[in-house]
Amino acid sequence: MISETIPDEVLGTILPIIVYWVYSGMYCLLDLLVGNKYRLHSKEEEDEKNVVPKGVVIKGVLIQQFLQAMVAITCYYMVNINDGAYIVEKKTTSLINLIRQFISAMVVLDTVQYFMHRCMHQNKFLYKHIHSQHHQLIVPYAFGALYNHPLEGLFVDTFSGALAFLVSGMSARASIFFYTFATIKGVDDHCGICLPGNIFHVIFKNNTAYHDIHHQFYGNKYNFSQPFFVMWDKLLGTYMPYSVEKRIEGGLEVRPDGNYKSI
């Protein structure tokens, strides 16, 4: 255990939830401090285009986090149970093996989410009754990252995370870091702010601007990949290249460069 009093399984369940609200809260504070300077959409555009109140978004996120916690507890129970009792894993994991587990978990998570996400868009029934809830936020913001229909939250986000954990073979301790990292990445992708020097924008092509394209009407058939890589979009022709430009009135905006396959 990382903590002598809190089991790894408990930390792996609750820490991503805490980090979600702390990290998104940091972006809310940053927004107050810098205004529209680094925003991809102005505050006025956010208020005009988004059709769901923030109180409803908070409630929806809390529902999804509750479902995630229940699934996380179930997964930990499945891998740690032995003769009807929990066991604490004492073996150490080498750095190389840990990196392998992280990469395999990232690939599994991306693969499942790409195809299920794309299916949600291509199936008119699923989009209308389930996935359209997430796209009520045309202008994404940080704490709206997990605002989904409960069924989508359970069968897409939560299922893919659980499968990544089980397939990678990572321990409960390793999962604490993986789920926390994935949570931070997901919040960052939806923050709507392109802050200079953001390490996620340097390392990952799948980032805030990339996902902002997908939330716009012209881009909702593109850039399905989330939250780490862009490989499936590029392989399957759903990648929309773009550039981030300064707006005349201040702030930033994402512009498709026109060199993409029409769907």
Side-chain angles (χ1 to χ4, degrees):
M1 293 183 291
I2 293 177
S3 168
E4 293 296 327
T5 57
I6 305 177
D8 294 340
E9 293 83 0
V10 175
L11 282 175
T13 301
I14 66 173
L15 189 59
I17 296 174
I18 295 172
V19 167
Y20 181 94
W21 293 107
V22 171
Y23 193 62
S24 60
M26 291 170 57
Y27 268 115
C28 291
L29 179 60
L30 179 66
D31 194 29
L32 293 175
L33 294 175
V34 303
N36 288 333
K37 185 174 182 181
Y38 300 115
R39 288 178 62 110
L40 297 177
H41 302 270
S42 68
K43 184 66 177 175
E44 294 72 25
E45 189 179 0
E46 177 186 314
D47 294 337
E48 176 186 344
K49 290 186 174 181
N50 289 348
V51 297
V52 58
K54 290 184 176 178
V56 175
V57 171
I58 292 173
K59 179 181 177 181
V61 171
L62 290 173
I63 291 173
Q64 174 157 336
Q65 289 178 327
F66 173 77
L67 294 174
Q68 285 182 334
M70 296 300 101
V71 173
I73 291 170
T74 302
C75 286
Y76 290 135
Y77 182 85
M78 289 171 59
V79 299
N80 286 343
I81 201 73
N82 183 24
D83 296 328
Y86 278 109
I87 60 172
V88 177
E89 183 176 353
K90 300 184 185 303
K91 66 180 182 181
T92 58
T93 302
S94 68
L95 179 59
I96 293 177
N97 193 43
L98 188 62
I99 293 173
R100 178 196 62 79
Q101 290 175 347
F102 262 63
I103 293 175
S104 62
M106 291 166 74
V107 171
V108 170
L109 190 66
D110 266 38
T111 300
V112 175
Q113 291 213 6
Y114 174 85
F115 288 101
M116 295 188 78
H117 186 193
R118 185 172 179 177
C119 178
M120 289 278 188
H121 277 266
Q122 292 181 329
N123 185 296
K124 293 182 179 180
F125 178 86
L126 292 178
Y127 184 83
K128 178 180 179 180
H129 296 284
I130 296 180
H131 188 56
S132 61
Q133 178 171 323
H134 183 68
H135 281 271
Q136 290 176 338
L137 299 181
I138 296 171
V139 178
Y141 48 79
F143 67 83
L146 288 181
Y147 177 63
N148 297 308
H149 189 284
L151 288 178
E152 178 178 357
L154 180 62
F155 290 108
V156 179
D157 294 342
T158 305
F159 171 76
S160 60
L163 191 63
F165 169 69
L166 295 173
V167 171
S168 67
M170 66 175 57
S171 65
R173 179 172 301 178
S175 75
I176 296 171
F177 298 99
F178 177 72
Y179 285 140
T180 301
F181 173 60
T183 296
I184 293 173
K185 181 65 170 59
V187 170
D188 206 87
D189 289 348
H190 287 83
C191 71
I193 298 175
C194 279
L195 195 65
N198 186 324
I199 190 66
F200 291 117
H201 297 178
V202 175
I203 297 176
F204 295 100
K205 290 186 177 180
N206 193 332
N207 52 40
T208 306
Y210 183 85
H211 194 65
D212 184 78
I213 288 280
H214 178 72
H215 272 261
Q216 307 313 305
F217 291 123
Y218 62 80
N220 66 4
K221 293 182 180 180
Y222 299 88
N223 295 11
F224 296 113
S225 294
Q226 56 185 30
F228 299 113
F229 310 116
V230 300
M231 59 182 181
W232 289 116
D233 278 317
K234 287 195 171 184
L235 286 171
L236 299 177
T238 55
Y239 176 77
M240 179 179 283
Y242 62 90
S243 61
V244 178
E245 309 289 344
K246 289 186 177 181
R247 289 198 304 261
I248 296 176
E249 63 273 22
L252 305 170
E253 67 176 338
V254 181
R255 296 177 185 170
D257 70 4
N259 184 27
Y260 59 91
K261 178 182 177 182
S262 179
I263 299 178

